[in-house]
mmCIF file with all atom_site columns, all heavy atoms in Angstrom:
data_model
loop_
_atom_site.group_PDB
_atom_site.id
_atom_site.type_symbol
_atom_site.label_atom_id
_atom_site.label_alt_id
_atom_site.label_comp_id
_atom_site.label_asym_id
_atom_site.label_entity_id
_atom_site.label_seq_id
_atom_site.pdbx_PDB_ins_code
_atom_site.Cartn_x
_atom_site.Cartn_y
_atom_site.Cartn_z
_atom_site.occupancy
_atom_site.B_iso_or_equiv
_atom_site.pdbx_formal_charge
_atom_site.auth_seq_id
_atom_site.auth_comp_id
_atom_site.auth_asym_id
_atom_site.auth_atom_id
_atom_site.pdbx_PDB_model_num
ATOM 1  N N   . LEU A 1 227 ? 76.392 128.000 -77.623 1.00 95.00 ? 1621 LEU A N   1
ATOM 2  C CA  . LEU A 1 227 ? 76.584 128.981 -78.674 1.00 95.00 ? 1621 LEU A CA  1
ATOM 3  C C   . LEU A 1 227 ? 75.811 130.249 -78.338 1.00 95.00 ? 1621 LEU A C   1
ATOM 4  O O   . LEU A 1 227 ? 74.585 130.208 -78.154 1.00 95.00 ? 1621 LEU A O   1
ATOM 5  C CB  . LEU A 1 227 ? 76.103 128.414 -80.020 1.00 95.00 ? 1621 LEU A CB  1
ATOM 6  C CG  . LEU A 1 227 ? 76.054 129.384 -81.192 1.00 95.00 ? 1621 LEU A CG  1
ATOM 7  C CD1 . LEU A 1 227 ? 77.459 129.865 -81.543 1.00 95.00 ? 1621 LEU A CD1 1
ATOM 8  C CD2 . LEU A 1 227 ? 75.384 128.735 -82.394 1.00 95.00 ? 1621 LEU A CD2 1
ATOM 9  N N   . CYS A 1 228 ? 76.498 131.360 -78.250 1.00 95.00 ? 1622 CYS A N   1
ATOM 10 C CA  . CYS A 1 228 ? 75.855 132.649 -77.971 1.00 95.00 ? 1622 CYS A CA  1
ATOM 11 C C   . CYS A 1 228 ? 75.802 133.440 -79.275 1.00 95.00 ? 1622 CYS A C   1
ATOM 12 O O   . CYS A 1 228 ? 76.850 133.758 -79.867 1.00 95.00 ? 1622 CYS A O   1
ATOM 13 C CB  . CYS A 1 228 ? 76.659 133.407 -76.917 1.00 95.00 ? 1622 CYS A CB  1
ATOM 14 S SG  . CYS A 1 228 ? 75.934 135.014 -76.495 1.00 95.00 ? 1622 CYS A SG  1
ATOM 15 N N   . LEU A 1 229 ? 74.633 133.753 -79.776 1.00 93.00 ? 1623 LEU A N   1
ATOM 16 C CA  . LEU A 1 229 ? 74.465 134.420 -81.048 1.00 93.00 ? 1623 LEU A CA  1
ATOM 17 C C   . LEU A 1 229 ? 74.205 135.914 -80.874 1.00 93.00 ? 1623 LEU A C   1
ATOM 18 O O   . LEU A 1 229 ? 73.444 136.327 -80.003 1.00 93.00 ? 1623 LEU A O   1
ATOM 19 C CB  . LEU A 1 229 ? 73.277 133.797 -81.805 1.00 93.00 ? 1623 LEU A CB  1
ATOM 20 C CG  . LEU A 1 229 ? 73.468 132.375 -82.343 1.00 93.00 ? 1623 LEU A CG  1
ATOM 21 C CD1 . LEU A 1 229 ? 72.142 131.848 -82.856 1.00 93.00 ? 1623 LEU A CD1 1
ATOM 22 C CD2 . LEU A 1 229 ? 74.519 132.370 -83.439 1.00 93.00 ? 1623 LEU A CD2 1
ATOM 23 N N   . ALA A 1 230 ? 74.822 136.695 -81.765 1.00 94.00 ? 1624 ALA A N   1
ATOM 24 C CA  . ALA A 1 230 ? 74.582 138.148 -81.763 1.00 94.00 ? 1624 ALA A CA  1
ATOM 25 C C   . ALA A 1 230 ? 74.964 138.712 -83.122 1.00 94.00 ? 1624 ALA A C   1
ATOM 26 O O   . ALA A 1 230 ? 75.763 138.114 -83.856 1.00 94.00 ? 1624 ALA A O   1
ATOM 27 C CB  . ALA A 1 230 ? 75.396 138.810 -80.667 1.00 94.00 ? 1624 ALA A CB  1
ATOM 28 N N   . GLY A 1 231 ? 74.421 139.842 -83.460 1.00 91.00 ? 1625 GLY A N   1
ATOM 29 C CA  . GLY A 1 231 ? 74.843 140.603 -84.644 1.00 91.00 ? 1625 GLY A CA  1
ATOM 30 C C   . GLY A 1 231 ? 74.536 140.003 -85.990 1.00 91.00 ? 1625 GLY A C   1
ATOM 31 O O   . GLY A 1 231 ? 75.199 140.330 -86.980 1.00 91.00 ? 1625 GLY A O   1
ATOM 32 N N   . LEU A 1 232 ? 73.565 139.173 -86.114 1.00 90.00 ? 1626 LEU A N   1
ATOM 33 C CA  . LEU A 1 232 ? 73.221 138.558 -87.396 1.00 90.00 ? 1626 LEU A CA  1
ATOM 34 C C   . LEU A 1 232 ? 72.195 139.421 -88.142 1.00 90.00 ? 1626 LEU A C   1
ATOM 35 O O   . LEU A 1 232 ? 71.274 139.959 -87.524 1.00 90.00 ? 1626 LEU A O   1
ATOM 36 C CB  . LEU A 1 232 ? 72.679 137.154 -87.204 1.00 90.00 ? 1626 LEU A CB  1
ATOM 37 C CG  . LEU A 1 232 ? 73.635 136.098 -86.633 1.00 90.00 ? 1626 LEU A CG  1
ATOM 38 C CD1 . LEU A 1 232 ? 72.904 134.768 -86.534 1.00 90.00 ? 1626 LEU A CD1 1
ATOM 39 C CD2 . LEU A 1 232 ? 74.860 135.951 -87.521 1.00 90.00 ? 1626 LEU A CD2 1
ATOM 40 N N   . GLU A 1 233 ? 72.340 139.487 -89.476 1.00 85.00 ? 1627 GLU A N   1
ATOM 41 C CA  . GLU A 1 233 ? 71.374 140.196 -90.306 1.00 85.00 ? 1627 GLU A CA  1
ATOM 42 C C   . GLU A 1 233 ? 70.919 139.272 -91.422 1.00 85.00 ? 1627 GLU A C   1
ATOM 43 O O   . GLU A 1 233 ? 71.694 138.878 -92.284 1.00 85.00 ? 1627 GLU A O   1
ATOM 44 C CB  . GLU A 1 233 ? 71.987 141.462 -90.900 1.00 85.00 ? 1627 GLU A CB  1
ATOM 45 C CG  . GLU A 1 233 ? 72.387 142.492 -89.859 1.00 85.00 ? 1627 GLU A CG  1
ATOM 46 C CD  . GLU A 1 233 ? 72.955 143.766 -90.507 1.00 85.00 ? 1627 GLU A CD  1
ATOM 47 O OE1 . GLU A 1 233 ? 72.947 143.821 -91.749 1.00 85.00 ? 1627 GLU A OE1 1
ATOM 48 O OE2 . GLU A 1 233 ? 73.406 144.635 -89.755 1.00 85.00 ? 1627 GLU A OE2 1
ATOM 49 N N   . GLY A 1 234 ? 69.691 138.868 -91.384 1.00 72.00 ? 1628 GLY A N   1
ATOM 50 C CA  . GLY A 1 234 ? 69.163 138.019 -92.432 1.00 72.00 ? 1628 GLY A CA  1
ATOM 51 C C   . GLY A 1 234 ? 69.692 136.606 -92.323 1.00 72.00 ? 1628 GLY A C   1
ATOM 52 O O   . GLY A 1 234 ? 70.176 136.170 -91.286 1.00 72.00 ? 1628 GLY A O   1
ATOM 53 N N   . THR A 1 235 ? 69.651 135.867 -93.435 1.00 66.00 ? 1629 THR A N   1
ATOM 54 C CA  . THR A 1 235 ? 70.119 134.492 -93.475 1.00 66.00 ? 1629 THR A CA  1
ATOM 55 C C   . THR A 1 235 ? 71.150 134.329 -94.576 1.00 66.00 ? 1629 THR A C   1
ATOM 56 O O   . THR A 1 235 ? 71.132 135.049 -95.584 1.00 66.00 ? 1629 THR A O   1
ATOM 57 C CB  . THR A 1 235 ? 68.953 133.517 -93.718 1.00 66.00 ? 1629 THR A CB  1
ATOM 58 O OG1 . THR A 1 235 ? 68.333 133.846 -94.964 1.00 66.00 ? 1629 THR A OG1 1
ATOM 59 C CG2 . THR A 1 235 ? 67.940 133.604 -92.591 1.00 66.00 ? 1629 THR A CG2 1
ATOM 60 N N   . SER A 1 236 ? 71.996 133.373 -94.443 1.00 63.00 ? 1630 SER A N   1
ATOM 61 C CA  . SER A 1 236 ? 73.022 133.088 -95.430 1.00 63.00 ? 1630 SER A CA  1
ATOM 62 C C   . SER A 1 236 ? 72.421 132.400 -96.651 1.00 63.00 ? 1630 SER A C   1
ATOM 63 O O   . SER A 1 236 ? 71.484 131.595 -96.530 1.00 63.00 ? 1630 SER A O   1
ATOM 64 C CB  . SER A 1 236 ? 74.110 132.205 -94.815 1.00 63.00 ? 1630 SER A CB  1
ATOM 65 O OG  . SER A 1 236 ? 74.974 131.720 -95.808 1.00 63.00 ? 1630 SER A OG  1
#
Side-chain angles (χ1 to χ4, degrees):
L1621 172 65
C1622 180
L1623 290 171
L1626 295 181
E1627 296 182 4
T1629 59
S1630 169

